[in-house]
C-alpha cells in the first residue's frame, strides 16, 4: 500500500506540475507564433535575416557557460526548495556572473576585430550581450525548475514572451523597423525577465556568500558535472548551425533568412516539449528504475503517435502560412522536408536526454552530438560547396537530426530495457516527405493520412497497453 500511495502521490504531483507548465508554455507558443509571423511580415526580409543571424551567433557564444548552469540543475534536481543549500547557490550565481562579465569584455574586443562588416559586428556584440543575460537567467530558472517550483517557472515564461511581444508591437506602432531595434527589443525583454527571475529566486539568491576556497571547490564540481551536457548542447546547436552558416555563406543572407523561418516554424512545438521535460527530470529522478522504463515506453508511443498525427495537418497549415506570409512562399516550400525535425528533436529533448541525465550518462549525449557534428561538417561541405544544391543541403538537416535521434536511442538501450520504434518512425517520416514533397497538395495529404491510419492499426496494442497502464496508475 505504501508503494502504491507514493506512486499515486508522484502521479498527482506530476500531473499538477505538468498542467502548470503546459498552461505557461501554451501561452508562450501562442505568443511565439504571433511574433514569428509578425516579424518577417512587418520588418522585411533583410531585417528578419539579420535577426535570425543574431540567433545563429548566440548558439556559438553559448559555449562560454562551460556547463556551469547545467551542473547546478543536475546537482539540485529533485530536491525540495526548503532543503537546498541557499548559500552555495547564491555564491555560484554570483561567481558565474563575474566570470561571464569578464569573458564578455574579452570576447567583445575579439568580435570587434573579427567582424567583416559593421552590421555583423553589431550582431556579434548583441549576441554576446544576449547570451550573457540568458545564461544568468537560465541558471536561476534551472534552480526553480529543479526544485519543482513550477508556478514561478510558468510566471517567468509568460512574462518573458509577453514583454517581448509588447516591445515588438511598440516598434511597429512607431515604425521603428530597423533590425537593430528588433534585436534591442529581444535584449530588453531578457533584461526584464532576468529582473523577475531575481525576484522569484530571492530566497536563495541573496543568501550569505561563501568563502573563495569553498566557491572554487564547488565550481570545479559543478563544471565537471555539467560540462558534458554543455558541450553536448553546444554540439547539438552546431548540427543545425553549420548547415545554416554554409547556406548564408553560399546563397546569401536573404536565403538564410528564408530557411531560418522554416526551421523556426518546425521547432515551435519542440520548444514546448523541451519545457515539459523540465517537469519530467525532477519527477523521474525520484522514481524507481523499473517505473522509469515503463514511463519511457508510454511516453515514447504517445509522443510518436501524436507527432505523426500532427503531420496530417501540414497542408492546411501551409495554406494558412502562405496567406499570412505571401513574401515567404519559397520558405514554406521547404517545410515539407523540415517538419519531421519536430519529431526527432522532441524525442531527444523530452525523452532520451532526460533519461541520460537521470542515469548520469551525460557523456553519451556528448558522444552522439559530436559524432553528428562531424557528419554535419561533411554533409554541409558536400551540399553547399561541392554540389551547390540548396534543397540537398536543407534536407541534410533532417537526415542529421534523425541520425542523432536514433543513435542516442540505440546508446540508451545499452543501459535500460526500453522499447524503441525508430524503424517505424523513420519509415513514416520518409512517407510524409515523399507524399508532401513529390506528390503534394490534397492527394499527398490523403495518402499520408491513410498510411497513418495503418500505423495506428499496427500500433493499436501498444497504444491500448499504454492507455491501460495510465488508467491503472490513476486508479491506485
Amino acid at each position: 500500500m505504501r508503494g502504491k500511495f507514493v506512486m499515486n502521490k508522484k502521479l498527482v504531483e506530476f500531473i499538477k506540475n505538468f498542467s502548470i507548465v503546459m498552461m505557461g508554455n501554451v501561452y508562450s507558443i501562442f505568443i511565439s507564433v504571433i511574433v514569428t509571423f509578425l516579424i518577417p511580415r512587418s520588418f522585411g526580409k533583410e531585417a528578419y535575416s539579420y535577426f535570425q543571424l543574431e540567433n545563429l551567433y548566440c548558439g556559438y557564444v553559448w559555449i562560454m557557460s562551460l556547463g556551469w548552469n547545467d551542473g547546478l540543475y543536475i546537482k539540485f534536481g529533485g530536491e525540495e526548495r526548503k532543503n537546498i543549500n541557499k548559500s552555495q547557490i547564491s555564491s555560484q550565481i554570483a561567481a558565474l556572473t563575474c566570470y561571464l562579465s569578464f569573458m564578455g569584455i574579452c570576447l567583445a574586443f575579439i568580435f570587434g576585430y573579427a567582424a567583416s562588416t559593421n552590421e555583423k559586428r553589431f550582431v556579434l556584440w548583441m549576441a554576446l550581450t544576449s547570451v550573457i543575460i540568458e545564461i544568468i537567467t537560465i541558471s536561476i530558472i534551472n534552480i526553480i525548475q529543479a526544485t519543482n517550483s513550477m508556478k514561478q517557472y510558468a510566471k517567468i515564461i509568460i512574462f518573458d514572451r509577453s514583454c517581448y511581444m509588447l516591445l515588438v508591437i511598440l516598434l511597429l506602432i512607431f515604425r521603428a523597423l530597423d533590425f537593430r531595434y528588433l534585436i534591442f527589443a529581444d535584449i530588453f525583454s531578457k533584461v526584464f525577465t532576468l529582473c523577475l527571475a531575481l525576484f522569484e529566486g530571492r530566497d536563495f539568491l541573496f543568501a550569505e556568500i561563501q568563502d573563495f576556497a569553498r566557491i572554487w571547490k564547488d565550481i570545479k564540481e559543478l563544471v565537471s558535472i555539467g560540462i558534458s551536457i554543455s558541450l553536448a548542447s553546444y554540439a547539438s546547436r552546431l548540427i543545425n548551425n553549420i548547415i545554416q552558416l554554409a547556406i548564408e555563406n553560399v546563397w546569401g543572407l536573404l536565403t538564410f533568412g528564408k530557411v531560418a523561418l522554416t526551421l523556426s516554424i518546425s521547432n515551435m512545438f519542440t520548444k514546448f516539449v523541451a519545457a515539459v521535460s523540465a517537469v519530467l527530470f525532477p519527477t523521474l529522478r525520484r522514481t524507481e528504475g523499473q517505473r522509469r522504463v515503463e514511463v519511457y515506453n508510454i511516453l515514447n508511443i504517445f509522443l510518436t503517435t501524436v507527432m505523426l498525427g500532427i503531420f496530417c495537418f501540414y497542408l492546411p497549415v501551409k495554406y494558412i502560412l502562405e496567406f499570412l506570409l505571401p513574401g515567404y512562399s519559397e520558405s514554406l516550400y521547404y517545410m515539407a522536408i523540415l517538419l519531421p525535425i519536430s519529431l526527432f528533436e522532441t524525442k531527444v529533448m523530452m525523452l532520451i536526454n532526460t533519461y541520460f541525465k537521470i542515469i548520469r550518462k551525460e557523456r553519451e549525449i556528448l558522444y552522439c552530438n559530436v559524432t553528428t557534428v562531424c557528419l554535419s561538417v561533411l554533409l554541409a561541405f558536400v551540399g553547399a560547396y561541392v554540389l551547390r544544391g540548396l534543397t540537398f543541403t536543407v534536407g541534410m538537416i533532417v537526415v542529421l537530426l534523425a541520425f542523432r535521434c536514433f543513435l542516442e536511442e540505440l546508446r540508451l538501450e545499452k543501459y535500460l530495457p526500453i522499447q524503441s520504434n525508430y524503424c517505424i518512425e523513420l519509415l513514416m517520416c520518409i512517407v510524409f516527405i515523399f507524399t508532401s514533397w513529390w506528390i503534394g497538395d490534397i492527394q499527398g495529404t490523403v495518402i499520408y493520412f491513410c498510411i497513418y491510419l495503418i500505423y495506428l492499426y499496427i500500433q493499436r496494442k501498444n497504444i491500448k497497453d499504454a492507455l491501460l497502464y495510465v488508467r491503472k496508475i490513476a486508479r491506485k
Side-chain angles (χ1 to χ4, degrees):
M1 284 298 293
R2 180 178 173 82
K4 291 181 180 181
F5 175 76
V6 171
M7 187 62 203
N8 185 44
K9 185 178 179 181
K10 288 178 180 176
L11 179 65
V12 171
E13 181 185 10
F14 175 78
I15 292 173
K16 178 182 176 182
N17 289 333
F18 178 82
S19 300
I20 293 170
V21 171
M22 186 175 69
M23 286 188 291
N25 282 279
V26 165
Y27 176 82
S28 177
I29 286 180
F30 175 71
I31 298 300
S32 296
V33 168
I34 294 175
V35 172
T36 298
F37 298 144
L38 197 61
I39 291 175
R41 184 183 179 92
S42 305
F43 284 82
K45 295 179 181 180
E46 184 179 15
Y48 180 73
S49 298
Y50 272 118
F51 176 70
Q52 287 291 349
L53 188 63
E54 190 250 358
N55 289 333
L56 180 68
Y57 289 158
C58 283
Y60 289 105
V61 179
W62 252 93
I63 188 64
M64 66 179 180
S65 71
L66 299 178
W68 203 333
N69 54 328
D70 293 304
L72 281 167
Y73 179 63
I74 293 172
K75 181 176 176 62
F76 294 101
E79 291 192 20
E80 296 293 334
R81 180 90 168 243
K82 60 184 179 181
N83 296 330
I84 60 174
N85 189 331
K86 295 180 173 59
S87 179
Q88 184 181 22
I89 294 173
S90 175
S91 302
Q92 289 303 306
I93 297 295
L96 177 62
T97 303
C98 294
Y99 159 75
L100 291 173
S101 300
F102 173 76
M103 286 296 297
I105 294 171
C106 295
L107 289 175
F109 282 107
I110 295 173
F111 291 164
Y113 285 105
S116 57
T117 65
N118 290 331
E119 288 80 8
K120 288 191 176 181
R121 183 178 295 110
F122 172 82
V123 170
L124 278 167
W125 281 342
M126 292 303 102
L128 179 61
T129 305
S130 177
V131 167
I132 290 173
I133 297 168
E134 196 169 2
I135 289 175
I136 298 170
T137 305
I138 288 178
S139 298
I140 299 169
I141 293 176
N142 280 349
I143 301 299
I144 292 173
Q145 286 179 337
T147 55
N148 258 354
S149 304
M150 294 303 169
K151 286 184 180 180
Q152 291 177 312
Y153 166 76
K155 185 191 299 184
I156 294 171
I157 294 299
I158 291 172
F159 177 82
D160 175 58
R161 291 296 86 194
S162 300
C163 186
Y164 180 53
M165 186 181 71
L166 177 61
L167 291 173
V168 170
I169 291 173
L170 288 175
L171 292 180
L172 293 175
I173 291 173
F174 293 102
R175 304 301 296 170
L177 303 182
D178 187 86
F179 76 91
R180 294 172 182 83
Y181 296 122
L182 190 58
I183 293 175
F184 279 137
D186 181 52
I187 291 176
F188 281 131
S189 70
K190 289 176 179 176
V191 170
F192 296 145
T193 303
L194 173 59
C195 292
L196 178 61
L198 289 169
F199 177 77
E200 294 295 340
R202 62 191 181 279
D203 60 311
F204 59 80
L205 288 175
F206 300 106
E208 183 181 355
I209 301 295
Q210 297 174 327
D211 62 87
F212 179 79
R214 180 58 191 274
I215 292 174
W216 178 246
K217 181 182 177 182
D218 289 339
I219 289 173
K220 290 190 290 184
E221 179 190 2
L222 295 174
V223 171
S224 66
I225 292 173
I227 189 66
S228 295
I229 292 293
S230 181
L231 291 176
S233 178
Y234 186 71
S236 178
R237 289 186 177 94
L238 286 180
I239 295 170
N240 273 344
N241 289 1
I242 288 171
I243 298 288
Q244 291 184 71
L245 198 59
I247 291 172
E248 195 268 335
N249 287 333
V250 175
W251 287 281
L253 183 68
L254 294 182
T255 301
F256 160 78
K258 292 175 182 178
V259 174
L261 173 63
T262 308
L263 286 170
S264 297
I265 295 170
S266 300
N267 286 328
M268 277 183 186
F269 188 77
T270 307
K271 293 178 181 178
F272 166 72
V273 172
V276 172
S277 66
V279 181
L280 274 178
F281 179 71
T283 303
L284 289 174
R285 198 168 184 182
R286 302 190 191 109
T287 307
E288 298 172 0
Q290 184 55 36
R291 294 286 190 184
R292 292 173 182 171
V293 175
E294 293 171 352
V295 171
Y296 182 96
N297 293 332
I298 289 172
L299 291 176
N300 190 21
I301 189 66
F302 277 148
L303 196 60
T304 303
T305 302
V306 170
M307 293 304 299
L308 292 176
I310 289 175
F311 293 171
C312 295
F313 299 95
Y314 159 73
L315 190 62
V317 170
K318 181 188 174 186
Y319 286 153
I320 293 171
L321 294 178
E322 286 178 345
F323 173 76
L324 294 174
L325 302 170
Y328 285 83
S329 57
E330 188 179 348
S331 300
L332 304 176
Y333 178 70
Y334 294 106
M335 197 164 73
I337 299 177
L338 294 176
L339 192 58
I341 286 175
S342 57
L343 170 61
F344 303 126
E345 286 284 77
T346 295
K347 281 197 63 175
V348 167
M349 288 185 179
M350 182 175 178
L351 282 179
I352 305 173
N353 284 359
T354 299
Y355 273 76
F356 273 133
K357 292 175 185 177
I358 290 170
I359 63 176
R360 296 306 310 275
K361 296 294 180 182
E362 296 90 352
R363 290 187 181 276
E364 291 287 359
I365 305 174
L366 177 60
Y367 168 80
C368 295
N369 282 340
V370 169
T371 302
T372 310
V373 166
C374 295
L375 187 60
S376 176
V377 173
L378 175 63
L379 294 178
F381 177 77
V382 172
Y385 298 99
V386 177
L387 300 178
R388 296 271 172 171
L390 180 59
T391 301
F392 176 87
T393 307
V394 172
M396 287 305 99
I397 298 176
V398 183
V399 172
L400 289 165
L401 294 178
F403 171 78
R404 193 266 302 269
C405 177
F406 300 142
L407 179 61
E408 285 201 20
E409 196 160 26
L410 283 172
R411 305 287 291 188
L412 185 60
E413 286 177 354
K414 293 191 335 183
Y415 306 101
L416 296 172
I418 59 173
Q419 297 176 3
S420 56
N421 303 303
Y422 40 79
C423 290
I424 297 177
E425 293 163 8
L426 182 60
L427 179 62
M428 288 298 295
C429 288
I430 292 172
V431 168
F432 170 76
I433 293 173
F434 178 79
T435 55
S436 303
W437 180 267
W438 277 282
I439 299 176
D441 294 333
I442 298 176
Q443 185 180 359
T445 302
V446 171
I447 293 173
Y448 175 78
F449 180 71
C450 293
I451 295 175
Y452 177 69
L453 293 177
I454 296 173
Y455 162 83
L456 292 177
Y457 179 78
I458 294 172
Q459 294 282 45
R460 66 189 185 282
K461 185 179 184 303
N462 291 332
I463 296 172
K464 183 180 178 181
D465 290 344
L467 290 170
L468 289 174
Y469 181 83
V470 172
R471 188 181 302 172
K472 182 176 71 173
I473 293 177
R475 287 177 176 176
K476 286 183 179 180

